Every structure is written in structure tokens, then in C-alpha cells.
Amino acid sequence: MIRFEEVGKVYPDGTTAVDGLSFEVAEGELVTLVGPSGCGKTTTMMMVNRLIEPTSGRILVGGEDISQVDPVRLRRRIGYVIQQVGLFPHRTVLDNTATVPTLLGWKKRRARARAAELLDLVGLDPKTFGDRYPEQLSGG
Ligand SMILES: Nc1ncnc2c1ncn2[C@@H]1O[C@H](COP(=O)(O)OP(=O)(O)OP(=O)(O)O)[C@@H](O)[C@H]1O
Ligand SMILES: [Mg+2]
């Protein structure tokens, strides 16, 4: 569950990017932010894992006020899809996918098995694509 309670963000130059935003996303629910350029979508997303700190209001993830959670611990349990510059070019597709489990201290075998499952889930056969490097795939 992700819950925004009257969340606001005013950047240091005085720009109000987000103003009194409240909403709740249930576990398993799919939500898309849609709006004109500059309306605050990226700012909103980046506040969920504390890459940007709100200037007012409160954000809860799984019932916890994220301002009280260590940002690194918070980020390691929020999955997101990265492409191109967010990938490690010198690591294989399988190792890139296993990055967070490895940081969490999972045994190599378990992390790689989970990464293979996830590749399979998105339609990338791990046998075909797991040992390739990011530049050997399309961007998406
Ligand atoms: N670091 C910053 N300092 C000052 N203003 C900023 C900063 N980052 C974003 N803004 C401003 O905050 C507002 C919201 O920006 P944001 O990037 O969240 O919009 P967006 O909805 O993601 O836009 P787009 O659809 O163009 O990606 C805009 O007016 C933007 O110019
Ligand atoms: Mg944006």
C-alpha cells in the first residue's frame, strides 16, 4: 500500500511542483500518473523512494511513514524498471536483474534463480538473454 496525505513539494527556487496531493494505491493495484508536462508526475514518483523529499504532508509505504525509514532500506524494497543509463553495462542481463537481491545478501545461487524467474516473467528466455550484456538488447 502506498498512501499520500496532503503531500506538497516546493523546490528551493519557489516552484510549487506538487500541492496537497492525497491518494492511496492498494497492494497489487496498477496506477498510472497522467498529466501535462510539468504537472509534477516525476516529482511525485521520486518522493516515494525519497530521491526527492516532500516539503509538506506525509507518505506511507506499507503503513510506515517513509520519513522514518532509512532511504537505502526503503529503496531496496521498491522495485522499478530501469533502462539504458540505469543498467550496469559491464554486467550481464542476469546479474543486472539480480542486483538488489545480491545487495540484500542473498546467496548467489538464489539471487540468480530469482533473476531467471523474473526474466522469464517478462518474456525474456534466461537461456537466450541472461548471459548477454545490456548493449546486446533493445533499449526497452
Ligand atoms: N529541481 C527543480 N528545481 C526547481 N523546479 C523544478 C525542479 N524539478 C522540477 N521542477 C519544476 O517542478 C514542476 C514539476 O516538474 P516534474 O518534473 O515533476 O513534472 P512532470 O509532470 O514529470 O513533467 P514531464 O511530463 O515534462 O516529465 C515543473 O514546473 C518543473 O519545472
Ligand atoms: Mg517527468
Side-chain angles (χ1 to χ4, degrees), residues 22-45:
S22 299
F23 65 90
E24 191 169 312
V25 184
E27 193 169 335
E29 193 178 1
L30 187 67
V31 170
T32 308
L33 300 179
V34 181
S37 181
C39 77
K41 303 177 298 292
T42 295
T43 303
T44 298
M45 291 288 292

Side-chain angles (χ1 to χ4, degrees), residues 90-136:
H90 61 294
R91 302 184 70 202
T92 64
V93 168
L94 198 73
D95 287 338
N96 266 283
T97 311
T99 299
V100 171
T102 304
L103 288 171
L104 290 174
W106 290 23
K107 290 260 186 309
K108 191 163 183 173
R109 178 188 296 221
R110 180 179 171 218
R112 291 175 69 87
R114 179 61 178 152
E117 264 175 31
L118 291 173
L119 289 179
D120 202 38
L121 190 68
V122 297
L124 289 173
D125 175 19
K127 285 200 182 65
T128 308
F129 298 105
D131 293 331
R132 291 198 196 177
Y133 289 87
E135 65 170 14
Q136 297 171 312

